[in-house]
Amino acid sequence: QLRLQLASVRGTRGWTMRATVGFAADSIVDAAARWPASLVIIGLGHHGFADRLIGSETAVTVAKRSKVPVLAVPPDATQLPMHAVAAIDFSESSIEAAMLAATMLGPNGQLSLIHASVLAMDESRPGSVLDVYTSGAKAKLQEIQERVHRRTKRRVTSVVAGGDIV
């Protein structure tokens, strides 16, 4: 059934496919870690706000628990995404995930990088610890933005967000 579903997707004929038994989210996360996968592509079901809120949606559970980047695809998707958002914590793995996200965008796609921290403040006393942190984060994020653009040739924007993280 999976081969039939992927038959119309160019480049998937040589993909290795395996089956596993268990709770869907657990099985997907475990398989991605074991095989090791570079990307998990998962379909989005038709779930409401309440399903997402209480965490019963498989895609949300996988995204929360996976150490591998996750691409959640809506059932009506017919083309490559035009916009992606990547959370950057300045680790090499977050930068690589951003690179991967950028390469999956359509030719005119845009990647938005975001670094969120309770230490980042738009308005802080010049020279304060918060000011130094925010300035450093913005400069570092700008370097990453340029690096991702050079490597992927996609439009890249970035923002440092402060305040309470929820």
Side-chain angles (χ1 to χ4, degrees):
Q1 186 177 20
L2 183 56
R3 289 209 185 278
L4 201 63
Q5 287 178 334
L6 291 174
S8 64
V9 180
R10 186 179 39 195
T12 61
R13 188 177 309 169
W15 284 10
T16 301
M17 296 178 203
R18 296 181 181 104
T20 186
V21 177
F23 292 108
D26 294 338
S27 297
I28 293 166
V29 171
D30 292 345
R34 231 183 14 255
W35 288 344
S38 58
L39 176 68
V40 171
I41 302 173
I42 189 165
L44 285 174
H46 295 286
H47 296 281
F49 177 75
D51 296 315
R52 289 187 176 96
L53 187 63
I54 62 172
S56 64
E57 184 179 7
T58 302
V60 172
T61 304
V62 170
K64 286 179 180 178
R65 294 185 40 219
S66 180
K67 292 185 174 20
V68 176
V70 176
L71 175 62
V73 181
D76 58 347
T78 59
Q79 62 184 24
L80 293 171
M82 294 304 295
H83 189 226
V85 178
I88 301 293
D89 63 5
F90 303 116
S91 66
E92 201 55 38
S93 61
S94 71
I95 297 167
E96 286 302 316
M99 296 279 190
L100 178 61
T103 63
M104 300 181 84
L105 295 172
N108 295 319
Q110 176 178 314
L111 177 68
S112 296
L113 307 176
I114 183 167
H115 173 73
S117 173
V118 295
L119 300 175
M121 298 289 166
D122 283 336
E123 309 259 338
S124 57
R125 189 174 43 81
S128 69
V129 172
L130 298 178
D131 179 54
V132 171
Y133 177 86
T134 304
S135 297
K138 286 179 179 179
K140 185 69 175 165
L141 198 57
Q142 179 67 36
E143 290 174 21
I144 295 167
Q145 176 181 341
E146 292 166 4
R147 179 175 157 192
V148 172
H149 172 72
R150 273 194 313 275
R151 190 158 135 197
T152 67
K153 305 300 184 233
R154 295 297 186 266
R155 287 184 298 140
V156 184
T157 62
S158 63
V159 66
V160 173
D164 292 335
I165 309 301
V166 293

